[in-house]
Amino acid sequence: MSQKTAVITGGSRGLGRDMAINLAKEGVNIIFSYHKNKNKAKEVISEIEAQGQKAVAFPFDATNYKNGQEFINEVTNYLKQENGNLNFDFLINNAGTGVHNLVSNTTEEEFDEMMNVHLKSAYFLTQSALPFLNKGGRIINISSGLTRFSLPGMSAYAMMKGGIEVFTRYLTKELGQRKITANVIAPGAIATDFAGGSNKDEQKAALISNITALGRVGEAEDIGGIVAFLCSDKAGWINGQRIEVSGGMLA
């Protein structure tokens, strides 16, 4: 994958950081977004550069879908200066946050936040990116195990992730002539800072471990290698698939 470039949203921490590091280890240059924490973004840039790859980060607020166009503008301006062209190879839509509330208590504001962050922003950022995605490129969208199994309090979040899975299947149909593949990775419960870091709670972690075949909560390091594989030549015939990475949670 030498000389190829990946664009990752939400790459400054958690799953996105691990995706970026794993791709860099495979010789991929990284462009990623961060929300507010510029220092965390700088740390990831340093880790990628230590792998011998180029890295740069730009801000992106997924609560406003129009920011996706601004982010892609930053990406293409940078690529033009660095490489003399505006194109890149991999798009990973990872940015996200969570809301935990029962259907009976979910507010319109919470619902709209989940829709804007996980569905609307991913849809229109992808639309903005499509003209610059190289032939034979890859799109990887991040969903959730919660589209297969249901846990109380996650309805709004899970609904939007279900929409991302449908969106991905349409991308495969519409981009096939350009030899661009689109796939979904659906993590199970992961011990990161996502949604307040609740999966790090000792009591909740024990519960998750008991319903997971491999007997533990997932870690960010369980996900990045799968993204790197899907961007490799070995995965070129995988298209339109939902790949759950949950250790057998509620299998």
Side-chain angles (χ1 to χ4, degrees):
M1 292 193 280
S2 179
Q3 303 304 310
K4 293 192 174 181
T5 299
V7 174
I8 306 171
T9 64
S12 62
R13 59 190 178 91
L15 301 186
R17 172 192 167 277
D18 197 67
M19 295 170 194
I21 299 301
N22 271 273
L23 282 165
K25 289 178 180 178
E26 298 298 325
V28 177
N29 296 324
I30 307 296
I31 303 171
F32 67 93
S33 78
Y34 64 94
H35 184 201
K36 293 180 179 179
N37 196 330
K38 194 170 185 178
N39 288 332
K40 283 290 184 184
K42 288 179 178 179
E43 290 175 10
V44 177
I45 290 171
S46 295
E47 291 182 78
I48 293 168
E49 289 177 342
Q51 302 292 334
Q53 299 307 127
K54 296 178 182 178
V56 67
F58 301 110
F60 168 53
D61 181 1
T63 61
N64 183 349
Y65 78 96
K66 293 182 180 179
N67 288 335
Q69 179 66 68
E70 296 172 7
F71 173 66
I72 295 299
N73 288 345
E74 295 269 24
V75 167
T76 54
N77 287 337
Y78 166 81
L79 288 170
K80 185 175 181 179
Q81 292 175 5
E82 283 290 310
N83 303 332
N85 71 67
L86 288 65
N87 289 5
F88 56 92
D89 303 280
F90 313 125
L91 173 65
I92 297 106
N93 286 308
N94 166 72
T97 185
V99 165
H100 185 275
N101 212 345
L102 297 174
V103 172
S104 56
N105 298 325
T106 297
T107 66
E108 183 178 358
E109 289 75 17
E110 289 172 331
F111 185 94
D112 286 347
E113 180 184 0
M114 292 298 95
M115 180 175 66
N116 289 333
V117 169
H118 292 287
L119 195 56
K120 193 171 184 179
S121 282
Y123 187 101
F124 285 104
L125 186 146
T126 301
Q127 183 187 79
S128 298
L130 286 180
F132 309 106
L133 199 58
N134 280 326
K135 182 179 180 180
R138 311 286 167 81
I139 298 173
I140 300 171
N141 293 324
I142 307 304
S143 179
S144 169
L146 289 163
T147 64
R148 177 178 64 84
F149 51 78
S150 302
L151 298 176
M154 299 301 295
S155 61
Y157 170 82
M159 286 170 64
M160 306 314 162
K161 290 303 190 181
I164 280 293
E165 294 184 8
V166 173
F167 173 47
T168 304
R169 293 197 297 273
Y170 273 83
L171 286 172
T172 66
K173 292 286 188 180
E174 297 186 14
L175 301 178
Q177 289 185 336
R178 293 173 58 188
K179 309 304 179 188
I180 294 170
T181 66
N183 292 289
V184 167
I185 289 179
I190 306 290
T192 67
D193 295 331
F194 179 81
S198 62
N199 291 333
K200 295 182 179 180
D201 176 79
E202 192 171 314
Q203 186 174 359
K204 186 175 181 183
L207 174 62
I208 293 168
S209 298
N210 287 335
I211 60 174
T212 301
L214 292 180
R216 66 172 175 84
V217 178
E219 300 289 344
E221 291 76 13
D222 295 318
I223 309 299
I226 308 300
V227 170
F229 168 69
L230 287 176
C231 291
S232 73
D233 291 341
K234 294 179 180 180
W237 201 239
I238 301 175
N239 197 17
Q241 300 304 303
R242 177 191 185 274
I243 301 170
E244 185 169 316
V245 189
S246 67
M249 187 175 178
L250 289 169

